Amino acid sequence: MFGIGIQNNLAYRVNFLARSLFGLIPVLAMIYLWRTIFEGQGNATIAGYTLGQMISYYLIVQIVDALTAVNEDDWQIASDIKDGMISQFLLKPVDYLWYRLSLFLAGRVTYIAVAGLPLALFIYWLRDHLEAPESAARFGLFLLALGMTALLQFLISYAMAMLAFWVLEVSTFIFILYALEYLASGHLFPLDILPPGLQQVLELTPFPYQLYFPISIYLGRVGESELWRGLLIQFVWVVIAYAVARFMWRLGIRRYEAVGG
Amino acid sequence: MMSTLLRYCSIYAALWRNSLMREMIFRANFLLWIVVDVLWFGLQLCFISVLYLHTESIGTWTKWQVVLLIAASNFIQQIFHGIFLLNLTNLSDLVRTGKLDFLLVQPVNPRFIVSLRQIDLGAFVNALIALVVMIYAGIQLGIRPGLTDVVLFLVLCAIGILIHYSLMLLLASVSFWTVKAQGIVWGYYNLFNIARMPDEAFRGLFKALFTLAIPMLLVSNVPARVLTDKLASPALVWLLVAMGAGCVACSEIGWRASLKRYTSASS
């Protein structure tokens, strides 16, 4: 299944390439924007970030995003449901969730294969600003959190796409979720430059664990005890998302069979 | 001449009626799309408020000036969406399925019918919301633009819309050459991102590229500068006008070349 996924995705390599190239323009703009703000301020740090750390943040967002973001998966799942493609999974001994997960992972591998080079060149160009992690152990924990981020991204999108069982047009819901994730997961800015009250509210949601958390480990923005607590919370969110995804699927199938006969 | 103009006006009115009827069939969806766009707009405003928690200004741009810039940018973008965007993103589908043939045999200008067939009414609601935010930012800044400023602002917005349209048509025309062009069309969203950033944040090659080649740093910045009295000299206005003319000319050349390729390939 992983192999099929890779083959399907390679057909879209032009798309992937265009996506990654165009995608770098706003990042570059963001870096320029922060540089101007730092210069205007005259302070060495803003909210505890040096300019180098701030630029590193946006560069690592790109890396984490390339490795873990869902691309077309949610749309495909929704259209599988709408077109009745899922009927075959009710007969075959293949579980739809594992099938989609392997396609998702295959999609990430092909994305990296195509978009990896432009991204690598971009980061190499800005290498002076990229900070290294404190220690190898930190980097290991970053990778662990990264893996859970990928799972969380996938499971949340999967659960969201299940809405296709009930509503005709899921794209609006998916876009609303994107908008929330974009802001609350730390895509636009590191979450710890927000006022403390807002940060605490965000920490109650799964969003920070979809992007911000692994990056904060990499940049050493979390202390030792917070780090372990964070990993535990992230794990709990993965389990919850998995349970919700399964539950939605079961409810959806019940409805699907009732309607489809 | 006059009668041709009248004929095209009545065709366009009919297209509006059709779109309105279509939207009213899927009313809930129509409202949800408005919510989606309002959310994205709110998101940009959130981002700016967070930035201004940590700084007084970006270059010489103050907080409310940037709010006005973002709202102006959104206003331009939404009107562009309302009139053109759907049609341009559908172009690759028209080419792939061959439905374009059907449009080409109709007794109207092909560019007219391809560009204006469908109207996205929700976008006009969002343009209105952007306008309200712009006025609110204006009140915060205590500006009282005169009639000439407002007229100049609107003319510059119209030029901005034409620039977006021309560039997007050029990009969409790529689908005449390669069928899988969605990625390229999607890429245009990233260019929109730059249009709402204050021009003074940029320097060097980046600024030159997005001013003199792809004038994203002019389309919203110049109108916003007119309203906020940040225009040092009229040179920027003339630059925007010149770039607008350039983009329109390029898109016409690109469109003709694409159409020629299409008609010679299919017959």
Side-chain angles (χ1 to χ4, degrees):
Chain A
M1 275 181 318
F2 190 73
I4 297 172
I6 294 213
Q7 279 172 10
N8 279 342
N9 277 307
L10 275 180
Y12 287 97
R13 60 189 182 279
V14 179
N15 259 338
F16 279 177
L17 194 65
R19 201 169 256 243
S20 66
L21 281 178
F22 275 113
L24 292 177
I25 298 170
V27 187
L28 196 55
M30 200 65 103
I31 291 172
Y32 275 111
L33 190 67
W34 276 110
R35 189 176 285 174
T36 308
I37 292 175
F38 269 88
E39 278 168 10
Q41 272 293 43
N43 295 339
T45 62
I46 290 177
Y49 282 87
T50 62
L51 179 60
Q53 285 168 330
M54 195 59 93
I55 294 175
S56 296
Y57 182 86
Y58 287 98
L59 293 180
I60 301 169
V61 166
Q62 295 314 303
I63 298 172
V64 174
D65 218 31
L67 290 168
T68 67
V70 289
N71 195 352
E72 302 269 298
D73 303 81
D74 33 12
W75 308 103
Q76 289 169 3
I77 296 172
S79 74
D80 274 1
I81 293 172
K82 259 191 294 187
D83 305 342
M85 281 288 288
I86 53 159
S87 293
Q88 46 175 319
F89 288 91
L90 303 178
L91 304 171
K92 281 187 206 162
V94 180
D95 184 74
Y96 188 66
L97 191 142
W98 294 117
Y99 167 73
R100 288 309 323 188
L101 182 62
S102 29
L103 286 190
F104 164 67
L105 295 175
R108 287 301 90 200
V109 170
T110 30
Y111 187 82
I112 298 290
V114 176
L117 187 65
L119 182 60
L121 285 175
F122 183 72
I123 290 173
Y124 181 73
W125 177 48
L126 291 164
R127 65 192 175 281
D128 292 342
H129 298 290
L130 186 65
E131 313 243 326
E134 259 172 25
S135 61
R138 275 247 163 196
F139 190 69
L141 292 175
F142 161 71
L143 291 180
L144 177 66
L146 190 79
M148 288 204 278
T149 290
L151 282 178
L152 195 58
Q153 289 264 11
F154 168 74
L155 289 169
I156 289 180
S157 301
Y158 182 90
M160 196 68 185
M162 290 295 121
L163 280 179
F165 279 115
W166 292 273
V167 291
L168 208 57
E169 179 84 62
V170 279
S171 41
T172 42
F173 293 98
I174 292 177
F175 271 118
I176 290 172
L177 182 69
Y178 275 172
L180 290 176
E181 282 177 351
Y182 206 68
L183 188 71
S185 71
H187 234 284
L188 273 173
F189 49 79
L191 297 179
D192 54 354
I193 71 170
L194 282 170
L198 266 175
Q199 272 180 61
Q200 277 158 6
V201 174
L202 281 183
E203 273 170 26
L204 299 174
T205 69
F207 298 122
Y209 299 95
Q210 285 186 278
L211 181 70
Y212 172 74
F213 180 61
I215 305 175
S216 69
I217 296 179
Y218 181 101
L219 290 176
R221 314 271 316 170
V222 282
E224 202 68 30
S225 62
E226 287 169 74
L227 198 158
W228 290 105
R229 202 185 56 134
L231 284 171
L232 186 68
I233 297 175
Q234 192 181 25
F235 179 71
V236 171
W237 276 119
V238 172
V239 173
I240 293 175
Y242 177 78
V244 171
R246 283 289 187 199
F247 180 67
M248 294 278 287
W249 169 262
R250 202 161 305 161
L251 275 188
I253 286 296
R254 197 175 298 162
R255 183 186 155 89
Y256 183 76
E257 287 174 336
V259 176
Chain B
M1 180 66 198
M2 198 59 199
S3 68
T4 324
L5 192 67
L6 275 176
R7 190 167 78 92
Y8 275 89
C9 281
S10 74
I11 296 174
Y12 196 52
L15 290 171
W16 264 84
R17 273 197 302 279
N18 275 339
S19 298
L20 185 66
M21 278 183 319
R22 199 169 18 219
E23 298 285 19
M24 286 306 113
I25 299 173
F26 303 105
R27 221 167 313 170
N29 210 40
F30 172 74
L31 290 175
L32 270 174
W33 274 115
I34 295 176
V35 171
V36 170
D37 276 354
V38 167
L39 260 179
W40 281 102
F41 183 37
L43 202 108
Q44 294 148 25
L45 295 176
C46 280
F47 173 56
I48 278 306
S49 339
V50 171
L51 284 188
Y52 277 94
L53 287 177
H54 300 282
T55 185
E56 294 284 301
S57 64
I58 298 174
T60 62
W61 290 83
T62 63
K63 179 178 172 182
W64 287 106
Q65 287 174 342
V66 176
V67 171
L68 191 134
L69 168 68
I70 291 176
S73 174
N74 215 54
F75 177 72
I76 292 169
Q77 191 181 336
Q78 290 295 348
I79 292 185
F80 164 68
H81 276 204
I83 302 174
F84 298 112
L85 188 72
L86 270 181
N87 304 297
L88 298 177
T89 51
N90 283 342
L91 185 60
S92 69
D93 272 346
L94 288 180
V95 173
R96 198 168 34 106
T97 57
K99 280 186 190 150
L100 188 61
D101 293 348
F102 174 72
L103 292 178
L104 291 183
V105 296
Q106 297 195 356
V108 284
N109 182 301
R111 184 170 171 164
F112 170 83
I113 197 72
V114 164
S115 305
L116 297 172
R117 218 156 41 98
Q118 218 175 321
I119 292 113
D120 177 0
L121 293 163
F124 290 98
V125 178
N126 283 304
L128 204 65
I129 295 170
L131 196 65
V132 171
V133 173
M134 228 185 318
I135 292 168
Y136 184 77
I139 294 170
Q140 292 292 322
L141 288 165
I143 45 177
R144 300 254 178 289
L147 185 65
T148 43
D149 282 343
V150 172
V151 171
L152 182 59
F153 171 80
L154 290 175
V155 170
L156 292 176
C157 283
I159 293 173
I161 293 163
L162 272 182
I163 289 177
H164 279 309
Y165 163 58
S166 305
L167 293 179
M168 188 74 175
L169 183 70
L170 269 179
L171 270 181
S173 298
V174 173
S175 58
F176 284 96
W177 275 271
T178 149
V179 174
K180 286 188 176 124
Q182 299 107 318
I184 296 163
V185 170
W186 178 88
Y188 197 70
Y189 274 93
N190 290 311
L191 294 181
F192 272 133
N193 265 327
I194 306 175
R196 52 178 169 257
M197 294 208 175
D199 48 9
E200 286 172 28
F202 306 101
R203 269 166 309 179
L205 194 63
F206 190 92
K207 184 164 189 170
L209 176 67
F210 288 106
T211 306
L212 298 171
I214 308 168
M216 283 299 130
L217 289 175
L218 295 174
V219 285
S220 342
N221 272 284
V222 178
R225 275 178 182 272
V226 167
L227 278 192
T228 53
D229 257 336
K230 286 175 81 74
L231 211 57
S233 74
L236 270 180
V237 173
W238 290 114
L239 186 59
L240 178 59
V241 174
M243 290 306 297
C247 287
V248 169
C250 282
S251 82
E252 183 61 28
I253 293 168
W255 169 251
R256 287 198 181 160
S258 315
L259 211 56
K260 204 174 197 175
R261 185 191 150 86
Y262 180 81
T263 44
S264 61
S266 57
S267 58

